[in-house]
Amino acid sequence: MPYDVVYKGDSRFSKKIMDELLSIVPDGVSDKESDKIIYSRDYWPIASRWFLDGKLPGLPDCIVWPENVEQIAEIIKVANREKIPIIPYGGGSGVVGAAIPVRGGIIIDMKKMDRILEIDEESLMVTVQTGINGMVLERELNRRGYTLGHIPQSLYCSCLGGWLACKAAGQFSTKYGKIEDMVVALQAVLADGSIIKSKDIPRSSTGPEVERLLLGSEGIFGIITEATLKIWPYPEEKAMLSFVFDDISNALQAVRLILRKNVYPAVVRIYDENETLRHFYEVKEAKKKCMLILLMEGDKELVELEKKVTTETCKKEGGIECGEEPVIHWLNTRFNVKEASEFLPKGFIFDTVEMAVKWKDALNLYRNVIDAMRKVEGIVVASAHASHFYPQGVCFYFTFGGIPPKNVEPYEFYKKVWDEMMNACLNSGGSISHHHGIGLIRAEWLKKEMGERIKMLRKIKAAIDSNNIMNPGKLVGENGEN
């Protein structure tokens, strides 16, 4: 293979295994070089940099496209017997390297398992296979008069399985919750090929919900193949508001007080001065200020109440009303991620890093992380917005970008910024990830985040996947260690 592979595999894959996989999925297995290259990475920014430099992040042995849960179970049984890695793959839109095949192995691409199995209108639930594209699911629900309420920036290019595997959060999360809040029941194939399925009932006091161990597990226990999710009637009314504040502290205080009143706008986003300048430069009132945009939706009476409470609270905290236009602008540009293709080929190294923190520590964390980014030589962009809110705290979404100094390799520069940010986060009382997950870039920080809990995670991994075949090298590291 004429490629430099960053994470070199060591799996025991052979022609015999290839033939066995073909007997399970006759028209759904490939070991073509072009396919293996395509599946060598996800959307992790530094992996894209490697790709442009002629390096492959990892290299699988083959790709399989199963069509049903029974095929997945048989594939995993073969892999478990032969101790060959299995890497679940959805849309490839993850940004932390969680889908990179660090030890080679079999990529199981879920895209052929993309059916909506049932919409239970009376119980407000939808049952769906996890390979379904996010926008396809939302559009079909909308057509039937419903919404899932899960609208991540990756909606057009991500799958339900990926949302579940990394505990994703969507742009409307303050009202509808995160993906784990929407889950009613799961079906999954575990590392030994056994199939588990929970009941699609709203709640049960029948012991621990063991299937929920799979949420946020990044594929280290098994593959989620089906999910039943909560849905909501499509909102009859929407209201859009925006305000600018002299300082981010004022905007944060306004939102904190709104949520304390048990008022939950669907979209709440606060941009610091730098991001306000970047995204809302046409709003004359926003110069050298921080922008807050809000979108309320639901029944008309509820929206009117939320609009009233929100407006009164923002004005009391010094907010200047800017109308609907900033919200409309955000709605029209929210899925635009062209910066990756525009700046990466020019040598610009960048990433976005999300963190969660309670209100008491929020402002301190914001300032400390911004300072940590700026002290790295070569950084030219260091900014943040807050995009997910709770009565108890907030998620900050930081952006950094820069050019590595002379004689500093891109990854060395990239890793230096990440290290500074992770240290600042933990020292400020925050959590190192809110909704992107751990993958490869956050792996060394997980032990510091979890403390003694990491031992419990390793024991569970060893019990469920004794041969360490499920996405090895992720969360608990190699051989159950991190």
Side-chain angles (χ1 to χ4, degrees):
M1 184 70 65
Y3 305 103
D4 182 9
V5 181
V6 178
Y7 294 95
K8 293 180 174 62
D10 57 357
S11 78
R12 306 178 183 184
F13 196 80
S14 65
K15 184 180 184 302
K16 173 178 171 287
I17 304 304
M18 184 69 176
D19 291 340
E20 199 164 354
L21 294 177
L22 283 166
S23 71
I24 299 169
V25 192
D27 300 314
V29 186
S30 173
D31 62 354
K32 292 180 181 178
E33 184 178 36
S34 57
D35 287 331
K36 293 197 292 184
I37 290 172
I38 289 169
Y39 285 87
S40 69
R41 66 187 181 101
D42 55 14
Y43 209 64
W44 187 21
I46 198 64
S48 298
R49 175 71 263 165
W50 289 334
F51 207 70
L52 290 174
D53 291 340
K55 300 177 183 177
L56 299 182
L59 198 66
D61 294 298
C62 75
I63 301 90
V64 184
W65 294 270
E67 298 182 17
N68 56 61
V69 67
E70 291 79 17
Q71 288 179 339
I72 293 176
E74 291 304 311
I75 294 164
I76 290 180
K77 286 176 184 177
V78 171
N80 196 43
R81 184 192 74 215
E82 301 293 335
K83 298 181 175 59
I84 297 170
I86 291 282
I87 303 92
Y89 198 95
S93 63
V95 293
V96 290
I100 290 176
V102 296
R103 283 180 44 202
I106 302 166
I107 296 277
I108 295 186
D109 188 329
M110 296 293 293
K111 291 188 189 68
K112 286 189 176 181
M113 295 181 61
D114 63 350
R115 291 188 296 128
I116 296 175
L117 303 175
E118 181 188 9
I119 297 178
D120 182 345
E121 299 189 50
E122 187 173 3
S123 305
L124 283 177
M125 295 190 293
V126 60
T127 301
V128 61
Q129 294 178 315
T130 55
I132 194 167
N133 172 270
M135 193 57 173
V136 170
L137 173 58
E138 182 64 19
R139 279 175 173 162
E140 180 58 22
L141 289 173
N142 294 170
R143 189 182 71 81
R144 296 280 294 270
Y146 299 96
T147 181
L148 180 62
H150 187 76
I151 315 292
Q153 189 178 42
S154 62
L155 184 65
Y156 284 86
C157 59
S158 59
C159 296
L160 171 59
W163 300 348
L164 297 167
C166 75
K167 289 180 70 175
Q171 297 163 342
F172 288 58
S173 70
T174 302
K175 179 180 179 69
Y176 297 105
K178 286 68 186 169
I179 194 64
E180 69 272 17
D181 302 313
M182 303 171 186
V183 172
V184 178
L186 295 172
Q187 179 191 75
V189 183
L190 301 182
D192 62 355
S194 60
I195 301 171
I196 63 168
K197 188 171 185 177
S198 54
K199 288 186 175 181
D200 57 347
I201 48 179
R203 191 180 189 275
S204 174
S205 181
T206 51
E209 296 177 84
V210 293
E211 71 280 1
R212 284 186 172 257
L213 286 169
L214 292 157
L215 297 176
S217 69
E218 299 183 18
I220 70 166
F221 300 138
I223 298 179
I224 304 171
T225 55
E226 183 182 304
T228 299
L229 308 167
K230 301 172 187 177
I231 57 175
W232 302 94
Y234 194 79
E236 67 174 13
E237 183 80 7
K238 294 178 186 284
M240 295 177 284
L241 298 173
S242 68
F243 300 86
V244 290
F245 295 82
D246 288 336
D247 188 80
I248 195 170
S249 60
N250 305 115
L252 289 168
Q253 175 73 345
V255 174
R256 186 179 72 85
L257 294 176
I258 290 167
L259 298 181
R260 283 174 72 94
K261 298 176 186 289
N262 211 21
V263 170
Y264 295 93
V267 176
V268 185
R269 298 175 76 87
I270 298 172
Y271 296 83
D272 70 7
E273 286 186 20
N274 287 321
E275 295 212 1
T276 296
L277 177 63
R278 192 157 73 240
H279 296 292
F280 303 103
Y281 55 88
E282 293 183 349
V283 181
K284 63 180 181 179
E285 298 92 344
K287 187 175 182 181
K288 294 184 179 180
K289 294 184 183 294
C290 296
M291 175 67 75
L292 164 63
I293 64 171
L294 305 112
L295 189 153
M296 284 70 70
E297 65 178 32
D299 290 347
K300 184 175 181 179
E301 293 85 356
L302 178 61
V303 170
E304 287 301 318
L305 175 61
E306 290 182 337
K307 184 177 178 181
K308 178 177 181 294
V309 172
T310 297
T311 300
E312 289 175 354
T313 306
C314 288
K315 288 184 176 179
K316 186 176 179 181
E317 295 303 316
I320 299 172
E321 200 163 359
C322 296
E324 295 185 347
E325 282 306 314
V327 189
I328 294 171
H329 171 74
W330 173 77
L331 286 168
N332 290 336
T333 59
R334 59 189 168 138
F335 299 120
N336 188 340
V337 290
K338 65 179 182 178
E339 289 86 357
S341 58
E342 287 182 342
F343 295 112
L344 199 59
K346 300 174 182 177
F348 197 74
I349 304 300
F350 67 93
D351 208 344
T352 56
V353 183
E354 21 64 71
M355 306 170 183
V357 65
K358 59 188 177 184
W359 282 114
K360 186 173 75 170
D361 298 325
L363 195 59
N364 188 48
L365 180 139
Y366 164 76
R367 289 170 175 165
N368 288 345
V369 175
I370 291 289
D371 288 345
M373 289 190 284
R374 287 177 176 165
K375 78 178 187 180
V376 178
E377 184 183 359
I379 284 291
V380 295
V381 173
S383 63
H385 63 267
S387 52
H388 304 276
F389 295 84
Y390 309 82
Q392 294 74 33
V394 57
C395 162
F396 284 108
Y397 198 93
F398 294 93
T399 297
F400 73 81
I403 304 292
K406 189 176 180 180
N407 299 323
V408 176
E409 292 295 318
Y411 183 73
E412 182 184 350
F413 172 75
Y414 178 80
K415 185 68 165 53
K416 173 67 174 174
V417 185
W418 263 92
D419 287 350
E420 293 293 342
M421 295 177 73
M422 293 292 97
N423 267 322
C425 173
L426 292 173
N427 291 338
S428 304
S431 173
I432 60 172
S433 179
H434 178 264
H435 58 270
H436 285 169
I438 302 301
L440 294 172
I441 187 60
R442 284 186 169 102
E444 69 179 271
W445 298 96
L446 187 61
K447 183 178 179 181
K448 295 179 181 179
E449 167 89 10
M450 293 188 70
E452 289 297 303
R453 293 179 298 147
I454 194 74
K455 295 178 182 178
M456 181 178 177
L457 182 63
R458 290 170 179 165
K459 289 177 181 178
I460 295 170
K461 169 69 169 175
I464 295 176
D465 182 15
S466 59
N467 288 323
N468 193 29
I469 66 163
M470 297 304 305
N471 208 8
K474 312 297 168 50
L475 291 187
V476 293
E478 290 294 340
N479 302 315
E481 296 181 358
N482 197 344

